[in-house]
Amino acid sequence: WQVEQITMDNLAECAEMDLEWNRRYRSLDAAGEEAEARTRLDERHAMSRAFAHYEALGMDGLLLRTGGKVVAFTMGSPISADTFDVHFEKAYGEIQGAYPMINREFARWLQANRPGVRWLNREDDMGLPALAKAKHDMRPIRIPLKYTARFEDWEIRPPREEEQTALRTLWLQSFADETPETADFYFTHLYDPADCRIITTKDTLIA
């Protein structure tokens, strides 16, 4: 094994490995459900953007070589002072130990190079059973519950003038760093109803 930090010099090798990974394994999912196919397509789009804007996004990552070839890589970015989000992790499944190795080495690298990081956010399993099992096998400290909200009577539209007070209240509730003074400035000098959309249900503002 050889572990390397991902840089602009070897980033293209990771992109090539990702293309090969998809060629090998995506065909196995061809008979999958439409929702799963959309999830995987969304991942491909996100991955492409990460490769194209790697430095601008403040990404860090490692790759794993064996026999001179990239067989695994992982990358992510910090989401707070003490939490690092692992956005992507790919390895050739037939190479035993590649996934655990890149996972372990990246955690070690982060511990050495980002000493303020205490937590790794491994993101969700996208509803894929194999990925869910792999994430549970890591014995996570916490798995947040996810919810889907559905409203039978909701509407997306521009706000009315008389709704500005409710909109301002929701603004202050949603942004912890806002104060009544900054909210006043925003709604007095910057706010334009034409550039705003709200969601209401039964005439109650919810977003």
Side-chain angles (χ1 to χ4, degrees), residues 49-113:
R49 291 186 179 185
F51 285 135
H53 306 286
Y54 186 79
E55 289 186 329
L57 291 170
M59 304 278 276
D60 280 320
L62 290 185
L63 63 81
L64 192 65
R65 293 184 191 274
T66 181
K69 295 183 178 180
V70 176
V71 297
F73 71 87
T74 184
M75 59 177 67
S77 62
I79 55 176
S80 69
D82 65 355
T83 304
F84 191 93
D85 191 297
V86 180
H87 301 306
F88 308 108
E89 186 177 270
K90 290 290 176 67
Y92 293 136
E94 64 269 24
I95 299 180
Q96 187 174 4
Y99 270 113
M101 175 71 80
I102 194 65
N103 180 12
R104 185 193 71 181
E105 291 303 312
F106 196 35
R108 288 178 172 177
W109 186 90
L110 288 168
Q111 188 175 40
N113 292 273

Side-chain angles (χ1 to χ4, degrees), residues 12 21 28 77 79 81 84 105 114 123 152 177-178 198 206:
W21 190 97
L28 300 178
S77 62
I79 55 176
F84 191 93
E105 291 303 312
R114 289 184 175 269
E123 298 191 351
E152 295 180 358
D177 56 343
E178 290 285 350
I198 63 173
I206 59 173

Side-chain angles (χ1 to χ4, degrees), residues 164-200:
Q164 187 176 133
T165 298
L167 186 58
R168 183 180 180 279
T169 299
L170 182 61
W171 180 277
L172 287 169
Q173 292 172 344
S174 301
F175 300 105
D177 56 343
E178 290 285 350
T179 66
E181 291 75 21
T182 59
D184 285 341
F185 179 86
Y186 174 78
F187 282 98
T188 301
H189 300 285
L190 303 174
Y191 169 72
D192 183 349
D195 295 330
C196 179
R197 293 295 182 271
I198 63 173
I199 301 177
T200 63

